[in-house]
Every structure is written in structure tokens, then in C-alpha cells.
Amino acid sequence: MSGQVGKSNQTLVTEFMLQGFSEHPQLWLPLLSYFFFLYTMALVGNTLIITIITCSSCLHSPMYFFLFNLATMDIICTSSVIPKALTDLAWKENIISFERCKAQLLFLAWSGSSELLLLTVMAYDSYVTICRPLHYGTLMSLWLCLVLAVGVWISCALNASVHTGLMAQLSFCGPNVITHFFCKIPPLLLLSCSPTYINSIMTLLAKPFYGCTNFLLTLMSHGFIIASILCICSAEGKQRAFSTCSSHLIVISVYYSAVVCAYIIPALSYSPEKNKLAGVLYTAVSTTLNPLRNKEVKTSLGKLLPGHKH
């Protein structure tokens, strides 16, 4: 265990060992292949979405503007965790410095909270599209979209900075094994030899807002959407309305299922194995299922490909 001697002759930990999946050495190759596949899919898929939205004027609308932001955050989320997991699996090098651990915490908290807020904003956009179509231009103006996007990025960056700053104030002088494949607040708090009361309070305050509040707002928006769709008389109108929000509903289900598995269930009954599985679901699987990969996106991709017949 690397470290330095503190004032009280305690050895302070300066690097940690990520337990990862070391208890299952026989699975290193399947896990390496699985993580590589998921990371490649997430990186290529989200980069394609960013490129298509940037290059296709027909996709320059609020829905795709927020999708652009979500795809960007998906790349940040996966890139903060998966490359390190891949190198650990490939070279059995599970050491991570405290500085790199803090950087991982910062980017993961920033991207994760931003994704939840963006999903809420996108749910509101869907609500206005279906329930208030005549007022869409006013309620989803370019200025409001920019304010919402910048607000999400800045507020979530501040939230991540607060948690990372509080973590930087802690001392670690005992065991240095993190029971996960990336740096996460709860396992780190268990290793600290400093008082963690403020950290725990801030974590408990953040969870209801980013988890429960956003989930309820998203649920409320889609409740109004479904009620409005059921009032449509024609079957064709209902089908068109459902196709507008169905892919968004699917991804919301995946995201919040991952959030529940990653944060709610471990709080009730902590299990390192279940926590790692939830981490895979949250940081890798959900980011490969970016919402609204619909007909418009596929059509625009076809137009950008060489040899496409217009």
C-alpha cells in the first residue's frame, strides 16, 4: 500500500486498489470482450448521433438539441469508467491514484446527474409536442433551450465539484481496496479514517433531487402525454403520437432501472456483486441505448452516407 506519513505517524493512502472482478479470474476474457463491445457501441453510436444532428438541418429542433447534449454526456460517462476497467482486465493493473480517483468521481457524477436532468427536459419537450402543439414555438424557444442546456451543465458540474471537493478533504490511512471496478462515493467513505458526516449528508440530499424529483417530473410529463394520446380519435393519430415518445419511454425505463439498482437497492441491502452489476448497467449498457434513434435519425444517416439515393 503506497502512501505518505502524516503528522500523527499514520500512513496516508495515496492510491487505491480496485477490486473489480478479480474474484472471478476465469471470466477475464469474456468480461474484457463484453466491456470492449459495450464501449465501442456507446462511443460509435453516440458519436454518430452527434455528427448526424450537427450535419442535418432537418434535425435542428429542440428534441434533437437535447439529444445532442445527452449523447455528449453518454460519451463522458462511459469514457470516465470503461477505459480504466478495460486496462485493469487486460493487464491486471488494478491500482488507481487518489487524484485519478477524484477525477473519475467528478466526471461520473457530472455526466450521471446531467443525464437524469436532460431526460426530464426531454420529457417536458415531448409533453409540449403532444399536449401543447400550438404553443410549441413559444414554450420551447431557442433561448429557453439554450438556458435549460447551460443550466443542466453548470448545475451538475457544481454538484459534482462539491462531492469531489468534500472527498478531497478526507484522509485514508487504513485498507485501500475499493469493492468496485471504478471509484464510487459509498465504498470510498467506508475506507476513510476521517469523519464522513458532511459527505453522507450531501449524498443523501443529492439522491432525492436527482433521482426521485426528476423521476416524478418525467413520470408526470408522460402521464399527461398518455392521457392526451388516449383522447385522440383516429388510430393513425394515436400511432403517430405513440411513435414520437415510445423510444424515449424505453430508454427512461432503462436509465431509471439502472439508477434504482445502482443507488436505491444497495442502500437497502448492500452487496458488492449486485453493486458491480448495477454499475455495468448504469455506465455501459444504458449509454448504448441512447433514446430517439428513430426514423428521422436513420433517414438523416442514410442521406449522409456515400451512394445514398435522394
Side-chain angles (χ1 to χ4, degrees):
M1 177 174 67
S2 298
Q4 58 187 29
V5 179
K7 293 179 180 180
S8 58
N9 293 327
Q10 288 182 314
T11 302
L12 299 181
V13 173
T14 57
E15 58 185 26
F16 298 93
M17 178 175 291
L18 295 169
Q19 187 184 63
F21 302 93
S22 57
E23 67 273 31
H24 303 292
Q26 72 279 8
L27 297 178
W28 78 270
L29 186 57
L31 285 169
L32 180 67
S33 305
Y34 180 66
F35 272 104
F36 181 76
F37 171 76
L38 287 178
Y39 184 57
T40 303
M41 288 289 290
L43 203 59
V44 172
N46 286 295
T47 302
L48 267 178
I49 285 179
I50 291 170
T51 305
I52 293 167
I53 293 173
T54 303
C55 298
S56 303
S57 57
C58 63
L59 298 182
H60 292 174
S61 65
M63 177 175 66
Y64 293 102
F65 171 70
F66 292 121
L67 180 58
F68 176 98
N69 282 269
L70 184 63
T72 303
M73 281 302 172
D74 281 345
I75 291 174
I76 294 173
C77 181
T78 52
S79 298
S80 65
V81 172
I82 305 303
K84 173 61 178 169
L86 285 171
T87 56
D88 289 347
L89 285 167
W91 286 282
K92 311 294 190 297
E93 191 69 37
N94 294 353
I95 301 298
I96 185 169
S97 68
F98 189 27
E99 294 303 315
R100 187 170 178 181
C101 192
K102 287 185 290 185
Q104 197 174 68
L105 277 176
L106 177 69
F107 285 106
L108 188 59
W110 180 36
S111 58
S113 55
S114 295
E115 286 170 344
L116 294 176
L117 285 181
L118 285 169
L119 286 173
T120 303
V121 172
M122 292 172 74
Y124 172 71
D125 176 75
S126 297
Y127 161 75
V128 177
T129 301
I130 294 173
C131 302
R132 306 286 297 278
L134 298 179
H135 300 88
Y136 187 84
T138 304
L139 295 175
M140 294 302 295
S141 64
L142 175 61
W143 173 248
L144 178 61
C145 291
L146 289 173
V147 169
L148 288 172
V150 172
V152 166
W153 282 65
I154 292 177
S155 62
C156 293
L158 288 173
N159 169 65
S161 298
V162 168
H163 286 289
T164 307
L166 288 173
M167 188 63 67
Q169 301 303 312
L170 300 181
S171 297
F172 299 87
C173 46
N176 71 331
V177 178
I178 299 174
T179 57
H180 216 296
F181 63 92
F182 60 88
C183 288
K184 202 175 174 186
I185 292 176
L188 280 169
L189 294 183
L190 291 175
L191 298 177
S192 176
C193 53
S194 303
T196 59
Y197 178 75
I198 297 177
N199 302 70
S200 300
I201 291 295
M202 292 303 296
T203 303
L204 288 174
L205 289 175
K207 284 180 181 179
F209 174 72
Y210 287 101
C212 301
T213 304
N214 283 286
F215 176 72
L216 290 174
L217 289 173
T218 303
L219 201 63
M220 190 184 304
S221 296
H222 282 90
F224 283 120
I225 289 171
I226 293 170
S228 180
I229 291 174
L230 293 176
C231 292
I232 298 175
C233 297
S234 67
E236 184 182 350
K238 286 182 179 179
Q239 184 177 0
R240 191 183 305 116
F242 268 120
S243 66
T244 302
C245 63
S246 59
S247 54
H248 190 209
L249 277 170
I250 292 171
V251 173
I252 284 173
S253 301
V254 173
Y255 267 88
Y256 279 102
S257 296
V259 169
V260 169
C261 292
Y263 297 105
I264 307 301
I265 293 177
L268 299 175
S269 176
Y270 183 80
S271 167
E273 293 302 313
K274 291 179 181 178
N275 211 18
K276 290 174 194 176
L277 182 61
V280 173
L281 181 63
Y282 184 70
T283 60
V285 176
S286 62
T287 53
T288 65
L289 300 174
N290 207 312
L292 307 176
R293 298 176 188 232
N294 55 15
K295 186 178 178 181
E296 287 80 4
V297 173
K298 292 175 183 176
T299 302
S300 297
L301 175 60
K303 291 179 181 178
L304 293 175
L305 293 175
H308 176 79
K309 295 181 180 181
H310 296 278

